[in-house]
Amino acid sequence: MTGSGILQGLAETAKNFVGSFTHPAENLATIEYPEQRQKLAENTRQFPFLVFDGTDPEAGLRCVACQICEKECPPQCIYIIKSKAKKPDFVGKPQFFPAVFDIDLSVCMSCQICVEVCPFDAIKMDQDFELATSDRFQGLLFHKDRLAKPNSHFQKIHPTEAGETDTRRAADLEKAQAAAAKAAAAAAASAKPVATPANSPEAKNPPPASPAAGTPPM
Amino acid sequence: MSVLFVLLAGLTLGAAWAAVTLRNLVHAALCLIGSLAGLGLIYIQLDAEFLGLAQILVYVGAVAILIVFAVMLVRGTEPLVGRLSTSPWLGGAITVLLAALLLWAVSKSPRLRAPTPPAPTVTVKAIGQQLTRDYVVPLQGIGLLLTAATLGAALIALPRRGSNPPSTPP
Amino acid sequence: MSYPGAPAISFQPRYAPDGTEQDGELLEVSLGPQHPSTHGVFRMDATLDGEKVVRLKPVFGYLHRNHEKIAEGASYLAAMPYTDRLDYFCSLTSNWAYALTVEKLAGLAVPERAEYLRVITAELTRIQNHACVCGFLLQDMGALGTPLMYAFRERERVLDLFESLTGARMMCNYLRFGGCRCDAPAGWLDAVRGVVAEFPRFLDEFEALLSNNEILLARTQGIGAVSAAQAINGGLTGPLLRAAGINYDLRKVDRYGIYDRFEFRIPLGEHGDVFDRYMIRVLEIRESLKILEQALKTIPDGPIIDPKAKLRGFRPKAGEAYGRLESPKGELGFYLISDGGPNPYRYRIRPPSFINLTLLEDMCLGRPLADVVVILGSIDIVMGEVDR
Amino acid sequence: MNTLDQLPETLKDHVVGVFPAGLQPWISALLAIGALCAIFPALFALTTVLERKILGRIQNRPGPNRVGPAGFLQFAADGIKSLTKEDIVPRNADRLLHFLAPLVVVIPPLLAFSVLPIGRNLVALDLPETGLLFFFAVGASVEVGVFMAGWSGGNKYSLLGAMRALAQLISYELPLILSALTVVMLTGSLSLVAMVEKQSAVQVAGLHAWNLFTPWGVVGFLIFLTAAAAEANRSPFDLPEAESEIIAGYFTEYSGFKFALFFLGEYLGLFAVCGLGITLFLGGWLPPFTWLNWIPSWLWFFGKLGALIFFFIWLRGTLPRLRMDQLMQFAWTFLLPLTLINAFVAGLWHFTADWNVLFRWALSAGLLAAAYVALSRPFARAFPRRTYRFAP
């Protein structure tokens, strides 16, 4: 009977209309954004950030300015100037560090390739998307100080990925320390009479050892 | 001669004058609508409500729109460039003559001198009964005429057989 | 008009006084690029006789971003995130087409679990794309947003799945040469099973609202019909070709990936008009759901990337390869020539919606203006893919 | 009961009583005009918000809920926005017409409200002889306004929109007037108050004799609603401002407050036609059952008006738009013949007054059903059910 299709359609919209009052949970698909926030999935990625261990962003910065990410970044939005001086990294081996590390977030397309190619787990993807700014040029050009965030933040937003990274780094640390202890013992054995002052480990940095072999990322 | 009547008569005459003399045809058509509406209002002012409202409904509602459609389709939208009429003096003379004739006929008519008769209480029901009893033959005749007219218009508007496919789905 | 030289807008009567038919004043109307229903930045210069279309010249290129030249300058890996931006509704099928071609070029093998994940994500993309297209088609027909909002509500569920797997809703950048970037997080496969189980309810609601709605039937049946021969000569692919009745679906023709393990059917129309295209897309969603159910039942564990595949400094041996797959819009093909260097010598894309668009004028001749918009909606173009 | 029901009437008498005798007719006329011009634009403001909230609820989203309590001050925000928007007049526009068009679109519906009986003896202008004719005469002049708007903008799109709007308004005015004439035929008078009076006869179990409770009344009401949707450019027939095809139809070239005036005119037109539909078929301000008349009569009128507005919003949220030639075909080949048959069946209903009720109902309903099936057969044959084959 012509006209029944239209009636069927009307019944459908009426069901949705009434449904939005009776059980809003299934029917209302939208949430009130600023007040209620949707829980982001763990893998969600917005813009990169630099990870640093410990508390001091300068000293604990994992990045060793190897500029791999700068070369691999498709839109070329990372800009690194390597520093002349060196600082010891987490296994104590002196490494360069970036004097300047800029990411132009207005160019970055959050494709996360820099995270994949980074051998030092120094750059990860953040989940903060409320970066609106009125300044069109410098506003979204983030410098090293704004990019660096503690490892605890990384653990908060990507728990599983952070967990794997930390266990791997801890394993590298033991291997490095074991190698260092063996080397120290060998050095002590070969030069037993001459008591060279063992390079006493500073409070925070353990004795020097071979740099962590860059294992392919997970 | 109440104030309202003078006002309405002025509106109607002014709109009619504008309809005749305006250069832009669309403005002229709209002034024509204004004068027809004015006429309807005068009927209402004379307590002939049914007639006045019917006038507005038929003329302002339908006839005016048809005139406007006609103006649109006949490329009449550019304002007239040339002179309004070839011989204004001849035209003027004829109008004066005609006006004089009309005034003479009106002043001579007996009805002007007789006292105005009491307004007859005409109800819509009476009009209806009159139409369907005494004037039923002319009513059906007009109906037939109008149907023939609409059929004729439809036939003219039909695209010539095979000249181009009608745009409606098969 | 009030200022000199103003264009006179008026119409000439179709029949001159002496009865001969004369070519009435044709009205030149430009639909777009700022037109509300041209699915992105796309312009159509239509010449109307009354309201019937006499000539229709599509004009595009407004969204040309020089994608192919950029890909030739960048490394193979760097081009992968750009393929998301081609057809931004189906980024995962574009990723897969590019990965397929590079694997054919470099001769990489893909582990089992990665193949399953590729099929699952591709079919999820097909589902949300077809649902959106039907929603946009109804939006062009004047149904103020209701079908579109129902389609978007379901699409959100699929995009949430993409976000939890790849990290982004639309710009997934998930596939790598020789497998996938990361494995499915815990509980993801169960979430997909939930969405797949929930989807038929939405389809029944969508069909009840639309499929036998008399106004929809009147507005779409017999409109923009394309004959089988015309479709083949015009190079149409995808739902448009199958609506004209030709059984050509790359998942069955090429049997790429592991599609030969799944049992599903290809819906075919007869008239090739807008209604058939709409129904074909709805039926294809139901078939994709079947594929997903089977894939989710038999997905194995195991590695998700070929260990031999190198991420950086990937230099395939010199040669050329053409890989194609059945994207929701049609046959999406990548043609790569490698000279052994880190970046492709030539990087060419066969965009399905661009080639489907070439037949727009043939479908629209003689139709009133309102149909042109509906026909364009039924072709389902995405300007990112048309202009590249 | 009586006090609340006659509250507006008694209030007016008090206020008019204050003034000297000479001025009293003028004051009562002014009060009536003031009341009408306050209530219906306020209803318009409420409806714009209701429309967006109901459409939202149909589309699984809550609708505007930020401005004011639960979003009900949204109309104020829209109003201020349209007031502050710059009023652009295109260069080759016809300035005078461009300015007058919104007025000619807004004033007629306001005039039309004066004739509608909103409550028990609550009608602004009781024309005993020509109530309905006044309504249609005033309603017909909206077309002139639509043409002036479309033409004066000097823009291709608005001209196409005006042409479409005029063709649609004229071809749907016929079924509208004819379905109203069916009621006039059976009521015997053109006065709307008399129509409501006639529907107040009490049938079985205290049921008021609304015209809707007769076979020809149901079909007449459905035809009236369809034609009303077309007259007010509402959902399945909102062709003149089809955004997806020609931007905004005849008011493409308007912005700022004039655009808001067109919006107001459209909604007032919708209220006027709905008001007429209520008076003709739903028994004006009469409650369905006699024992319900402790609710004031004007509340019944606005309740029914709200129900009809909800129906039109519901239509807008569901149905796609018809194409121009289909719209014309539907009007002339389906709606008009059905209206004429409906008039015939109404006459039949009138002359079979003393038959057994069941047989009388069966005869009229059967005739109308047969007419409906016969008239809709060409549509069913033109769009047969389609089946789809599946290749393995």
Side-chain angles (χ1 to χ4, degrees):
Chain A
M1 203 271 283
T2 48
S4 62
I6 291 180
L7 296 180
Q8 227 177 351
L10 284 171
E12 204 56 47
T13 36
K15 209 187 303 169
N16 269 295
F17 176 71
V18 169
S20 74
F21 289 104
T22 48
H23 17 75
E26 299 101 28
N27 275 29
L28 287 187
T30 56
I31 54 172
E32 306 292 325
Y33 163 61
E35 288 86 13
Q36 310 158 355
R37 286 171 181 271
Q38 195 170 9
K39 200 179 83 51
L40 294 177
E42 201 223 317
N43 275 351
T44 308
R45 48 181 160 86
Q46 301 297 348
F47 290 109
F49 73 99
L50 292 173
V51 184
F52 66 85
D53 298 324
T55 55
D56 171 11
E58 283 306 322
L61 203 67
R62 291 185 182 170
C63 173
V64 294
C66 63
Q67 295 178 320
I68 287 177
C69 57
E70 186 178 11
K71 283 192 275 297
E72 285 299 325
C73 172
Q76 302 291 317
C77 68
I78 300 177
Y79 173 72
I80 301 172
I81 295 179
K82 200 182 280 191
S83 70
K84 295 292 176 293
K86 288 197 176 188
K87 74 168 175 55
D89 67 1
F90 81 106
V91 287
K93 177 175 179 304
Q95 296 272 24
F96 289 109
F97 60 90
V100 168
F101 192 109
D102 295 353
I103 293 184
D104 186 348
L105 293 191
S106 61
V107 173
C108 168
M109 57 180 183
S110 64
C111 65
Q112 193 247 9
I113 281 184
C114 49
V115 172
E116 281 180 71
V117 296
C118 173
F120 298 95
D121 303 319
I123 189 165
K124 293 296 175 190
M125 294 305 272
D126 201 345
Q127 293 190 346
D128 171 19
F129 51 85
E130 283 148 341
L131 303 169
T133 162
S134 56
D135 170 7
R136 276 177 53 194
F137 302 105
Q138 299 308 331
L140 284 172
L141 180 65
F142 281 15
H143 302 296
K144 184 169 67 171
D145 49 1
R146 177 114 186 249
L147 284 172
K149 290 192 173 145
N151 190 18
S152 57
H153 173 74
F154 177 43
Q155 274 145 3
K156 186 161 65 64
I157 49 174
H158 296 300
T160 46
E161 189 189 346
E164 287 155 16
T165 324
D166 287 349
T167 48
R168 189 160 26 80
R169 286 175 68 84
D172 293 348
L173 197 59
E174 266 91 34
K175 197 147 48 57
Q177 274 164 350
K182 197 151 43 51
S190 65
K192 192 171 292 305
V194 175
T196 55
N199 182 333
S200 66
E202 288 136 20
K204 191 163 45 49
N205 290 356
S210 65
T215 54
M218 48 84 199
Chain B
M1 288 291 272
S2 71
V3 172
L4 187 59
F5 175 73
V6 170
L7 205 68
L8 285 179
L11 163 79
T12 315
L13 282 180
W17 174 261
V20 174
T21 53
L22 274 182
R23 288 193 167 281
N24 183 332
L25 210 50
V26 173
H27 288 182
L30 291 176
C31 290
L32 176 66
I33 296 172
S35 65
L36 293 175
L39 199 59
L41 292 179
I42 289 177
Y43 286 144
I44 293 174
Q45 198 250 341
L46 298 173
D47 290 347
E49 275 161 16
F50 182 78
L51 187 60
L53 290 174
Q55 156 94 356
I56 290 180
L57 175 63
V58 171
Y59 278 92
V60 173
V63 170
I65 299 299
L66 296 185
I67 292 174
V68 155
F69 261 72
V71 161
M72 286 300 303
L73 294 182
V74 182
R75 188 190 280 281
T77 48
E78 286 92 12
L80 203 59
V81 181
R83 286 160 44 85
L84 213 50
S85 74
T86 52
S87 60
W89 292 111
L90 185 61
I94 292 173
T95 36
V96 165
L97 198 67
L98 210 59
L101 186 67
L102 268 175
L103 276 179
W104 176 76
V106 163
S107 59
K108 275 286 178 292
S109 76
R111 203 167 282 289
L112 207 60
R113 276 180 297 285
T116 52
T121 56
V122 175
T123 66
V124 175
K125 191 183 285 292
I127 297 175
Q129 274 148 6
Q130 199 84 10
L131 265 179
T132 48
R133 281 205 187 82
D134 311 348
Y135 297 96
V136 71
V137 173
L139 184 70
Q140 302 306 335
I142 294 175
L144 220 61
L145 179 69
L146 284 176
T147 325
T150 29
L151 284 181
L155 280 178
I156 291 175
L158 270 183
R160 204 68 53 80
R161 277 287 160 276
S163 67
N164 56 358
S167 70
T168 54
Chain C
M1 289 296 167
S2 65
Y3 72 99
I9 299 172
S10 66
F11 301 91
Q12 235 160 2
R14 169 168 291 285
Y15 294 99
D18 56 8
T20 58
E21 186 180 342
Q22 58 186 27
D23 190 1
E25 167 110 13
L26 297 180
L27 184 66
E28 179 72 32
V29 171
S30 149
L31 296 166
Q34 289 80 19
H35 197 272
S37 74
T38 48
H39 297 259
V41 200
F42 171 71
R43 181 158 72 98
M44 293 179 279
D45 284 348
T47 313
L48 303 176
D49 170 13
E51 241 190 65
K52 287 214 319 287
V53 169
V54 175
R55 270 192 307 278
L56 187 118
K57 185 161 78 71
V59 177
F60 36 74
Y62 292 93
L63 202 57
H64 179 61
R65 298 155 297 181
N66 206 356
H67 169 85
E68 292 173 359
K69 198 58 186 173
I70 290 173
E72 278 167 18
S75 70
Y76 281 89
L77 175 65
M80 181 62 88
Y82 286 115
T83 55
D84 297 336
R85 270 87 178 163
L86 268 177
D87 174 356
Y88 36 78
F89 267 89
C90 333
S91 63
L92 279 154
T93 42
S94 312
N95 287 354
W96 190 359
Y98 180 54
L100 200 67
T101 319
V102 173
E103 278 146 19
K104 192 180 281 188
L105 192 66
L108 295 169
V110 180
E112 275 297 300
R113 187 173 172 86
E115 283 291 359
Y116 271 87
L117 280 174
R118 286 182 175 187
V119 165
I120 291 172
T121 47
E123 290 312 318
L124 281 174
T125 318
R126 197 183 313 280
I127 286 176
Q128 56 101 5
N129 174 69
H130 283 341
C132 278
V133 166
C134 298
F136 283 127
L137 181 64
L138 267 298
Q139 179 87 359
D140 293 343
M141 260 184 261
L144 263 312
T146 311
L148 186 61
M149 286 303 157
Y150 291 169
F152 268 23
R153 180 191 66 210
E154 296 311 313
R155 179 165 177 258
E156 284 308 314
R157 291 205 179 93
V158 176
L159 293 188
D160 289 346
L161 291 179
F162 289 159
E163 182 165 9
S164 51
L165 174 68
T166 69
R169 292 156 47 87
M170 287 166 71
M171 302 297 149
C172 303
N173 183 14
Y174 174 58
L175 299 187
R176 291 293 175 266
F177 314 127
C180 302
R181 168 159 54 84
C182 54
D183 201 342
W188 187 76
L189 289 172
D190 299 337
V192 177
R193 286 187 188 90
V195 167
V196 166
E198 191 65 36
F199 219 84
R201 191 182 60 75
F202 150 72
L203 268 181
D204 303 340
E205 174 192 67
F206 206 72
E207 288 220 56
L209 180 64
L210 297 174
S211 289
N212 32 39
N213 179 329
E214 279 72 13
I215 299 178
L216 178 76
L217 298 181
R219 281 295 299 274
T220 54
Q221 294 208 351
I223 312 289
V226 165
S227 69
Q230 216 177 353
I232 295 176
N233 298 340
L236 292 188
T237 53
L240 276 86
L241 190 63
R242 292 190 285 276
I246 293 148
N247 175 12
Y248 183 79
D249 184 326
L250 290 178
R251 294 175 293 180
K252 293 280 182 182
V253 171
D254 277 5
R255 293 190 180 291
Y256 60 90
I258 47 170
Y259 272 109
D260 45 13
R261 294 190 195 157
F262 305 115
E263 190 271 325
F264 61 99
R265 303 175 306 170
I266 307 296
L268 299 173
E270 295 133 52
H271 311 278
D273 55 12
V274 172
F275 185 76
D276 269 6
R277 293 175 197 151
Y278 157 78
M279 275 312 286
I280 292 290
R281 289 195 175 98
V282 169
L283 295 172
E284 268 185 15
I285 293 181
R286 292 190 191 275
E287 294 306 316
S288 296
L289 287 173
K290 284 204 202 103
I291 298 175
L292 275 167
E293 276 143 20
Q294 297 164 42
L296 284 168
K297 268 203 283 296
T298 58
I299 180 165
D301 290 333
I304 51 149
I305 191 147
D306 173 0
K308 201 152 50 39
K310 285 174 42 213
L311 200 59
R312 294 180 53 238
F314 171 72
R315 295 166 179 272
K317 58 185 179 344
E320 60 171 18
Y322 177 69
R324 57 181 187 172
L325 61 68
E326 183 66 32
S327 100
K329 309 278 202 287
E331 176 189 325
L332 173 64
F334 276 77
Y335 172 63
L336 294 176
I337 300 177
S338 151
D339 60 359
N343 46 38
Y345 174 74
R346 176 72 176 104
Y347 172 103
R348 167 86 176 97
I349 295 168
R350 183 216 184 264
S353 41
F354 171 71
I355 292 170
N356 293 348
L357 198 57
T358 48
L359 277 179
L360 178 64
E361 182 171 32
D362 307 333
M363 300 179 197
C364 294
L365 282 186
R367 301 249 48 101
L369 198 62
D371 283 352
V372 170
V373 176
V374 172
I375 292 167
L376 180 67
S378 73
I379 298 178
D380 172 19
I381 58 165
V382 170
M383 290 317 288
E385 189 174 60
V386 170
D387 292 344
R388 289 182 306 284
Chain D
M1 178 282 289
N2 209 326
T3 52
L4 192 58
D5 181 26
Q6 291 316 97
L7 189 63
E9 199 58 25
T10 43
L11 262 177
K12 194 176 93 168
D13 294 346
H14 283 308
V15 170
V16 167
V18 168
F19 289 89
L23 276 177
Q24 285 191 343
W26 294 95
I27 296 299
S28 72
L30 267 176
L31 276 179
I33 293 169
L36 284 180
C37 287
I39 293 171
F40 283 99
L43 196 61
F44 154 71
L46 189 67
T47 317
T48 48
V49 178
L50 268 182
E51 170 140 29
R52 288 172 60 180
K53 284 188 87 67
I54 293 173
L55 276 183
R57 286 282 168 176
I58 285 178
Q59 296 167 357
N60 305 116
R61 50 186 174 82
N65 52 12
R66 295 274 165 173
V67 183
F72 276 95
L73 274 183
Q74 184 70 32
F75 67 87
D78 295 346
I80 296 168
K81 181 197 74 174
S82 71
L83 276 170
T84 51
K85 274 263 176 63
E86 186 203 356
D87 188 356
I88 300 160
V89 178
R91 185 151 47 113
N92 60 4
D94 205 321
R95 285 200 192 295
L96 181 64
L97 291 190
H98 195 77
F99 178 75
L100 280 181
L103 300 183
V104 176
V105 168
V106 167
I107 290 174
L110 283 175
L111 289 177
F113 288 132
S114 58
V115 175
L116 293 178
I118 291 171
R120 186 173 284 108
N121 53 52
L122 260 183
V123 60
L125 179 66
D126 177 11
L127 296 171
E129 285 300 308
T130 56
L132 191 63
L133 192 60
F134 176 87
F135 186 93
F136 284 127
V138 159
S141 52
V142 170
E143 287 149 16
V144 178
V146 163
F147 169 73
M148 280 161 66
W151 163 256
S152 65
N155 147 343
K156 287 193 195 93
Y157 285 137
S158 60
L159 193 63
L160 274 179
M163 288 296 194
R164 282 185 179 191
L166 286 184
Q168 175 181 325
L169 287 178
I170 291 177
S171 54
Y172 276 89
E173 203 170 340
L174 220 54
L176 194 77
I177 295 182
L178 282 177
S179 59
L181 283 191
T182 328
V183 177
V184 166
M185 188 168 70
L186 284 178
T187 324
S189 139
L190 273 173
S191 152
L192 295 173
V193 176
M195 285 177 199
V196 175
E197 215 51 53
K198 182 168 189 310
Q199 290 176 42
S200 61
V202 181
Q203 282 176 323
V204 58
L207 190 66
H208 272 300
W210 287 5
N211 284 338
L212 188 62
F213 301 146
T214 61
W216 61 270
V218 171
V219 173
F221 185 55
L222 288 179
I223 294 171
F224 189 90
L225 281 189
T226 324
E231 284 295 311
N233 295 341
R234 285 298 297 189
S235 166
F237 308 98
D238 55 358
L239 227 53
E241 72 255 4
E243 309 81 19
S244 51
E245 289 122 31
I246 37 171
I247 313 297
Y250 51 86
F251 40 82
T252 316
E253 287 307 328
Y254 284 89
S255 58
F257 192 60
K258 286 196 201 126
F259 184 78
L261 268 183
F262 271 107
F263 224 63
L264 175 67
E266 188 182 301
Y267 272 95
L268 288 182
L270 177 68
F271 296 156
V273 166
C274 283
L276 184 68
I278 289 167
T279 317
L280 294 177
F281 294 96
L282 298 183
W285 40 266
L286 289 169
F289 293 95
T290 44
W291 41 269
L292 273 176
N293 53 22
W294 49 275
I295 302 170
S297 58
W298 39 269
L299 206 58
W300 279 110
F301 181 83
F302 283 106
K304 292 175 197 164
L305 192 60
L308 279 183
I309 291 170
F310 174 78
F311 173 71
F312 279 116
I313 295 174
W314 181 15
L315 271 185
R316 179 163 185 227
T318 318
L319 299 181
R321 186 177 297 127
L322 274 171
R323 205 180 48 219
M324 194 60 200
D325 47 303
Q326 290 160 350
L327 189 114
M328 288 298 148
Q329 207 172 352
F330 178 68
W332 295 100
T333 57
F334 178 79
L335 218 54
L336 196 54
L338 194 62
T339 324
L340 296 177
I341 292 170
N342 188 31
F344 169 73
V345 167
L348 205 67
W349 179 267
H350 177 67
F351 288 112
T352 60
D354 43 17
W355 286 13
N356 154 338
V357 175
L358 281 182
F359 185 68
R360 192 182 180 205
W361 257 86
L363 177 70
S364 328
L367 263 174
L368 286 173
Y372 178 80
V373 169
L375 285 170
S376 60
R377 180 170 304 286
F379 182 90
R381 241 186 297 106
F383 300 106
R385 280 271 176 280
R386 288 189 179 183
T387 57
Y388 292 87
R389 56 188 172 87
F390 286 84

